[in-house]
Amino acid sequence: MKHSQDELRVERERLYDKQVKLETLRDSLNDLFFRARGYIAFRDNEELKRVYEDLNEVEGALEELEGVRLNSKEQQMTEELTDFLSTYQSNTLPTLIRFVEANDYAGLQNYYSSSDIVNSVNQFMEYVKQYKVDIDDDLEALSKEMIEQANQFTFVMVIFLFLLFVFIAYLIWRMMKDIVRPLEQMRQATDDFASGKNFSLLPVKRNDEIGVLFSSFGSMIRTIQEKEEELTAQNEELIMQQEELQEHQHRIEESLYETKQTKERLERYNDLNHVLSFTLNKQELADSILEYLDSIYELDLGMFWIRESGERALKGMTDALFEEFSMNRTDYIDQRLKEDDFFMVTREASHEKGLAADSVLVHDYFSGVNNPEGDMVALFGASRIGRAFSEEEQKELRGLLNRVALAIERIQLYDRNVKERILNERIISNINEGIQFVGHDGSMLQRNEAVCEIINCGVPIDETIERARWIDHLANQTDDPDQMREFLEGCIDSGAHHVQEYRYHILEPAERVIEVYSAPVLVNEEKIGTILVHRDITREYEVDQMKTELVSTVSHELRTPLSSVLGFTELLLHKQLKPEKQKKYLETIYKEAKRLTNLINDFLDLQRMESGSQVYQMEPLQINELAVEAIARFRTESGHPLVVVDEAANVQVEGDKERLAQVLTNVIGNAIKFSPDGGHVTLTLSNDENNVIIAIQDEGIGIPAEDIPKLFNKFQRIDNSARRKIGGTGLGLAICREIIEKHNGTITIESEEGEGTIVRFSLPLLSTGRHRIARPEGDENSPSVMIVEDDMSLALLLSEELKMSGFTVIYHMKPSEAFEEAKRTPLVGIVIDLMLGDDLNGWDLVDLLKKEEKTKNIPIIISSALDQAEGKGKLHQINHYLTKPYPPTQLSKAILRFLTEPIQQGVIFYPERGSEQDESK
């Protein structure tokens, strides 16, 4: 059936494939002639292009159709269509294209009628259509044939299955009759025989396997019945033997249990021995002892208490019960244990008896653990309810506790050794001296942390370092490696049994002086190692150097003025001199005496500061006033123009006026003294968040970078030729630092050799609530205003007003210095007093400024007590004229207008009238 169906399915698929290819051919021919007519009708080149595409598709469809099995009629149609297409493509279509391109539709119509093209096309289309109908009919007939054939085969299969079922049923019936029924009879007889019932087994007269099986089964039944009594007797005998074996096995199990118990007990004892021999933890010892005793003697209550250190192990006792016991009941126990090594107490149970109705006895056992001196170091107590401790158990407990005493003593000895070792290590680690222990072979075995603070160890502190390595590492850090290496080798030498000392210098990271001594470590007169002790004596060395320097400096500084005083005094005493010379000599004596006084005062100040007896009179101060006063003391220094730049909005501090003035005088004096070739000295005031900062800058000889950290040390002077010529005690900066630090401030130095020095110190503000007024828009940097005024009080008043408006103020008293400052500093305005000095007055300074190209455009404000009429001829050179007294706000308003409005020359202020007025020149 399957083979027939497959043949029909193949034939159906072949017909269907032929049908698809014919439909493709038909569609392609339709498209071809439709496109050709479209081209002829509309002369559309796109349609012509598609005509050629459709020709290719028709040719492809014909080629595919040739691959299908065709009959003679189909083959003839295919060949005719191929010839037609060839003629159409090579002749007909080009002719049609020529007619269309020539727009000759009359000729085209004649050509159609004469060539019979339309009839041929219609004939082919009709043939393809009819052939498709024939193929559809063949497919339908083929499908009906497949269905009829399938129905016939199905009917035959049903009949076959029915006959097969009847045959199988007959086989099963014969099997039940010939095999299963005899076996069922045999099974029933077996069940009856097994249960002791009567049964009958009819003989089967058959010669097949069933008959043999029945015969054998009957023989077996008879044999079993004959042997039943014998088997019963043997079974009884086996049961008796089994009971004997079970009894023997029980005895063996009891023996094994006892052996196991003994083994477990030995294991626990070995564990206890291990703890007693090796543990160093008292709590672990107490827990292990009580756990072992509980497992062996089955304690109901237990306690092991190491009394000296307090460790305890408890069973059946709460901490509160133990505390009550230790506080109230140990006196009696201690007294009894002084008389006996251990004792028993039998008492009637109270809460221990639990649910028992009758009286129950509790047996308590107490034993002390004594050290070799007889002192009790631990207490053991145990209780058993209703079970007394036998004499053997009491002795065993006592013997075990004697061993425990040795373990406790060993732990106590170890604890003492550990404490002593830790104490020694802490002592060695906390001393300032660096200690090394070197073995007999020269390897460094131990050292403390101080060694690595003194010298660069280069390795972890607990690492053993071989001889050559650590000696080379240490020697290479010193100023004389060969000498250091020789000293260390000599100390380690086995024959060196005496103390040796050596002093060396460490160069990195900073130069230090180290003194080292070595001592041999001897055991039974045999050297086992060497102790090396390094001590940093840099401070002592510096003190010695300072003492030497002090003696040299003091002798020089005292001898020079004393020589002058004695020399000029001797001249005054023994010679008749003119009054002019006498005055000159007396002035020199006075000057040298002041120098001696200042030197002695420095020593006294330093001594009071170091002893803590220096008294500071703290009061609110304006630091800018102190700065201006200090600058004023040095105004006679013609070679050193002094400049004050005030950028500080808040200058109020709390301090000792005299001491802060001493700092300013000292620092400004140093700036002048160490600028032997002249140059400006600039004092700048500024603010950070909570401090006022004072910076004094000079253009002097400067300080080498390596010497800057030493400058604040006492008697420290830079050892170079330029500074040796200048002289000094080296105490000034040390005193300055002490004073500034007592005012909770800081002082620093910045310098470059040959470029000058800046000394900067800061003081905390008394109040930080004062702020500048915002500067005019466009001025990101603080604009500078110069005040040329010999009245310092007025200058400070004007300065405060200008600073509040956001300006930086520069002070000057001398017109010549003010002119030089104006040439090198950008200014937004200059405030000039007319009455300044003998050499130049205010108008002279105005003339100098207007003639100089760099300064002629700087706005000028005259601030004077003179009436403006006295300088009417020069008013064209200035911008504003303020007549004293005037409100300081007028000054700041005028300068702010310089920044925001065009300058008007000749403007005069009349502040006493309360408003500004403009007058023409």
Side-chain angles (χ1 to χ4, degrees), residues 143-330:
S143 298
K144 290 180 178 179
E145 183 180 355
M146 289 178 66
I147 294 171
E148 290 175 358
Q149 192 179 54
N151 291 334
Q152 292 173 1
F153 281 116
T154 302
F155 178 73
V156 172
M157 181 60 69
V158 170
I159 293 173
F160 171 75
L161 290 176
F162 176 74
L163 295 176
L164 181 62
F165 174 74
V166 171
F167 177 71
I168 291 173
Y170 174 75
L171 288 178
I172 292 173
W173 176 75
R174 287 297 304 272
M175 185 182 297
M176 291 290 292
K177 179 180 178 182
D178 297 338
I179 298 174
V180 175
R181 189 172 297 166
L183 291 177
E184 180 63 24
Q185 294 176 359
M186 187 184 300
R187 185 193 65 77
Q188 184 64 39
T190 303
D191 292 340
D192 293 341
F193 176 74
S195 60
K197 297 179 180 178
N198 294 325
F199 65 92
S200 63
L201 187 61
L202 299 176
V204 177
K205 296 179 180 180
R206 295 174 58 175
N207 296 323
D208 56 5
E209 289 81 357
I210 297 298
V212 175
L213 178 61
F214 261 76
S215 177
S216 299
F217 182 74
S219 299
M220 182 187 68
I221 291 296
R222 286 190 295 271
T223 303
I224 291 174
Q225 290 175 343
E226 292 174 358
K227 301 294 184 178
E228 183 176 3
E229 294 181 1
E230 182 180 353
L231 290 174
T232 302
Q234 291 177 357
N235 185 42
E236 291 177 355
E237 183 177 358
L238 288 174
I239 291 173
M240 293 178 62
Q241 291 177 357
Q242 183 181 3
E243 292 176 354
E244 291 178 358
L245 288 173
Q246 288 177 349
E247 184 178 356
H248 181 66
Q249 182 180 3
H250 180 68
R251 288 196 298 267
I252 292 175
E253 289 176 353
E254 289 181 350
S255 177
L256 290 174
Y257 177 76
E258 292 177 358
T259 303
K260 182 180 178 181
Q261 290 292 101
T262 304
K263 181 180 178 182
E264 292 177 353
R265 183 169 181 175
L266 289 174
E267 288 177 352
R268 287 194 293 268
Y269 187 73
N270 288 334
D271 292 341
L272 179 64
N273 278 336
H274 180 80
V275 172
L276 294 177
S277 301
F278 298 105
T279 187
L280 297 174
N281 188 314
K282 293 180 181 178
Q283 186 61 52
E284 182 185 1
L285 176 68
D287 292 338
S288 298
I289 291 171
L290 186 60
E291 181 181 359
Y292 174 76
L293 296 178
D294 179 45
S295 64
I296 299 300
Y297 299 105
E298 298 180 355
L299 306 179
D300 295 311
L301 298 174
M303 171 196 68
F304 187 87
W305 176 25
I306 301 176
R307 302 183 64 171
E308 180 179 355
S309 53
E311 290 83 3
R312 63 180 183 265
L314 305 175
K315 180 189 177 181
M317 294 181 66
T318 62
D319 290 336
L321 182 60
F322 173 81
E323 295 296 336
E324 190 274 333
F325 168 82
S326 61
M327 294 178 62
N328 302 323
R329 287 190 271 173
T330 55

Side-chain angles (χ1 to χ4, degrees), residues 635-913:
R635 287 295 181 185
T636 57
E637 298 289 341
S638 58
H640 297 83
L642 302 173
V643 183
V644 178
V645 179
D646 192 353
E647 302 175 350
N650 194 348
V651 294
Q652 190 172 31
V653 300
E654 185 177 32
D656 188 312
K657 182 176 182 179
E658 183 178 348
R659 294 303 169 194
L660 292 178
Q662 181 182 356
V663 172
L664 290 167
T665 303
N666 198 323
V667 176
I668 296 171
N670 283 346
I672 294 173
K673 182 167 62 173
F674 293 105
S675 304
D677 297 329
H680 289 78
V681 175
T682 304
L683 187 150
T684 304
L685 298 171
S686 61
N687 286 123
D688 64 7
E689 185 176 356
N690 299 309
N691 301 284
V692 60
I693 301 172
I694 304 95
I696 294 93
Q697 181 175 4
D698 61 57
E699 299 174 353
I701 61 178
I703 304 167
E706 65 272 12
D707 293 325
I708 292 177
K710 308 175 185 176
L711 289 176
F712 291 107
N713 296 334
K714 297 182 289 293
F715 307 107
Q716 184 67 50
R717 300 177 71 248
I718 306 304
D719 188 16
N720 58 40
S721 57
R723 288 182 172 266
R724 278 198 298 272
K725 293 177 183 178
I726 296 173
T729 61
L731 294 176
L733 288 177
I735 294 173
C736 290
R737 182 177 68 174
E738 179 70 22
I739 292 173
I740 294 300
E741 289 179 352
K742 289 296 183 182
H743 285 76
N744 297 320
T746 59
I747 182 168
T748 58
I749 294 178
E750 301 173 15
S751 182
E752 185 174 347
E753 194 169 10
E755 299 294 332
T757 302
I758 301 175
V759 178
R760 184 178 286 107
F761 60 91
S762 64
L763 297 169
L765 292 169
L766 189 61
S767 172
T768 58
R770 187 177 179 188
H771 302 284
R772 292 187 178 201
I773 298 174
R775 295 192 294 270
E777 184 177 357
D779 291 343
E780 296 181 358
N781 298 320
S782 181
S784 298
V785 177
M786 182 187 294
I787 297 178
V788 187
E789 174 69 65
D790 57 357
D791 185 348
M792 285 295 104
S793 297
L794 179 59
L796 290 171
L797 178 63
L798 298 178
S799 171
E800 289 298 313
E801 173 61 29
L802 292 174
K803 288 190 295 181
M804 290 296 295
S805 298
F807 296 102
T808 296
V809 180
I810 302 174
Y811 297 106
H812 273 289
M813 295 178 64
K814 294 182 179 181
S816 57
E817 294 180 2
F819 176 63
E820 295 297 326
E821 181 73 28
K823 289 194 294 183
R824 67 173 184 268
T825 304
L827 300 171
V828 297
I830 303 177
V831 181
I832 302 175
D833 186 14
L834 295 179
M835 302 175 64
L836 290 174
D838 297 333
D839 54 347
L840 295 173
N841 61 24
W843 289 121
D844 295 331
L845 177 58
V846 171
D847 292 336
L848 291 174
L849 292 170
K850 292 303 177 181
K851 292 176 182 178
E852 173 62 37
E853 185 68 25
K854 295 180 180 179
T855 60
K856 66 180 182 180
N857 294 321
I858 300 176
I860 298 173
I861 299 176
I862 296 297
S863 171
S864 176
L866 300 176
D867 191 83
Q868 68 271 15
E870 298 182 15
K872 182 172 290 188
K874 299 182 179 182
L875 288 179
H876 66 283
Q877 296 179 317
I878 65 174
N879 301 89
H880 290 79
Y881 194 109
L882 299 177
T883 302
K884 298 178 183 178
Y886 57 86
T889 55
Q890 298 292 347
L891 178 61
S892 61
K893 290 179 180 179
I895 295 178
L896 287 171
R897 288 180 62 189
F898 293 158
L899 302 175
T900 57
E901 300 178 5
I903 297 173
Q904 301 178 13
Q905 293 187 341
V907 177
I908 302 174
F909 281 118
Y910 292 99
E912 63 272 13
R913 300 181 186 178

Side-chain angles (χ1 to χ4, degrees), residues 436-440 491-493 518-521 527-532:
Q436 296 173 273
F437 176 68
V438 180
H440 64 87
C491 296
I492 298 171
D493 184 23
S518 69
V521 179
K527 184 177 180 180
I528 64 170
T530 305
I531 291 289
L532 293 171

Side-chain angles (χ1 to χ4, degrees), residues 553-699:
T553 301
V554 170
S555 62
H556 172 76
E557 295 294 331
L558 292 178
R559 185 181 291 112
T560 302
L562 281 175
S563 298
S564 298
V565 170
L566 291 174
F568 286 112
T569 303
E570 187 175 359
L571 289 174
L572 288 173
L573 288 174
H574 297 93
K575 290 187 178 183
Q576 294 295 328
L577 302 173
K578 294 180 180 181
E580 296 82 10
K581 280 200 172 186
Q582 288 182 359
K583 182 179 179 182
K584 182 178 179 180
Y585 289 168
L586 287 173
E587 288 176 350
T588 302
I589 292 172
Y590 177 76
K591 180 180 178 181
E592 295 299 332
K594 286 287 292 180
R595 180 178 170 186
L596 280 173
T597 301
N598 291 335
L599 180 61
I600 294 170
N601 285 338
D602 284 346
F603 283 118
L604 292 176
D605 287 344
L606 185 63
Q607 188 273 332
R608 284 194 296 269
M609 290 174 183
E610 288 187 341
S611 64
S613 59
Q614 179 69 51
V615 178
Y616 293 88
Q617 302 293 332
M618 308 300 280
E619 58 179 325
L621 299 172
Q622 299 291 332
I623 196 66
N624 59 344
E625 295 180 4
L626 291 180
V628 172
E629 290 175 2
I631 288 289
R633 296 192 185 102
F634 297 93
R635 287 295 181 185
T636 57
E637 298 289 341
S638 58
H640 297 83
L642 302 173
V643 183
V644 178
V645 179
D646 192 353
E647 302 175 350
N650 194 348
V651 294
Q652 190 172 31
V653 300
E654 185 177 32
D656 188 312
K657 182 176 182 179
E658 183 178 348
R659 294 303 169 194
L660 292 178
Q662 181 182 356
V663 172
L664 290 167
T665 303
N666 198 323
V667 176
I668 296 171
N670 283 346
I672 294 173
K673 182 167 62 173
F674 293 105
S675 304
D677 297 329
H680 289 78
V681 175
T682 304
L683 187 150
T684 304
L685 298 171
S686 61
N687 286 123
D688 64 7
E689 185 176 356
N690 299 309
N691 301 284
V692 60
I693 301 172
I694 304 95
I696 294 93
Q697 181 175 4
D698 61 57
E699 299 174 353

Side-chain angles (χ1 to χ4, degrees), residues 317-438:
M317 294 181 66
T318 62
D319 290 336
L321 182 60
F322 173 81
E323 295 296 336
E324 190 274 333
F325 168 82
S326 61
M327 294 178 62
N328 302 323
R329 287 190 271 173
T330 55
D331 292 341
Y332 168 76
I333 295 173
D334 291 344
Q335 184 61 37
R336 287 288 307 270
L337 291 177
K338 287 180 181 179
E339 302 172 357
D340 301 306
D341 293 336
F342 62 90
F343 67 92
M344 290 284 301
V345 174
T346 301
R347 57 186 174 84
E348 185 174 352
S350 56
H351 58 276
E352 292 98 337
K353 70 179 183 178
L355 298 176
D358 300 330
S359 62
V360 177
L361 297 180
V362 178
H363 304 275
D364 298 331
Y365 174 88
F366 292 97
S367 177
V369 180
N370 301 328
N371 60 18
E373 290 77 22
D375 298 327
M376 184 189 302
V377 295
L379 175 64
F380 171 71
S383 299
R384 292 203 302 203
I385 302 172
R387 295 177 295 116
F389 291 93
S390 65
E391 293 183 2
E392 182 179 357
E393 288 177 334
Q394 295 178 33
K395 292 178 181 179
E396 287 178 355
L397 283 169
R398 182 58 193 169
L400 179 62
L401 293 174
N402 287 335
R403 288 200 57 199
V404 172
L406 297 176
I408 294 175
E409 184 180 8
R410 176 177 56 79
I411 295 175
Q412 290 175 339
L413 288 174
Y414 173 78
D415 289 343
R416 283 195 293 269
N417 290 335
V418 169
K419 289 179 181 178
E420 292 174 359
R421 177 174 58 80
I422 293 174
L423 178 62
N424 292 333
E425 288 178 353
R426 289 180 179 174
I427 292 172
I428 292 174
S429 298
N430 291 321
I431 62 177
N432 294 327
E433 284 76 11
I435 300 175
Q436 296 173 273
F437 176 68
V438 180

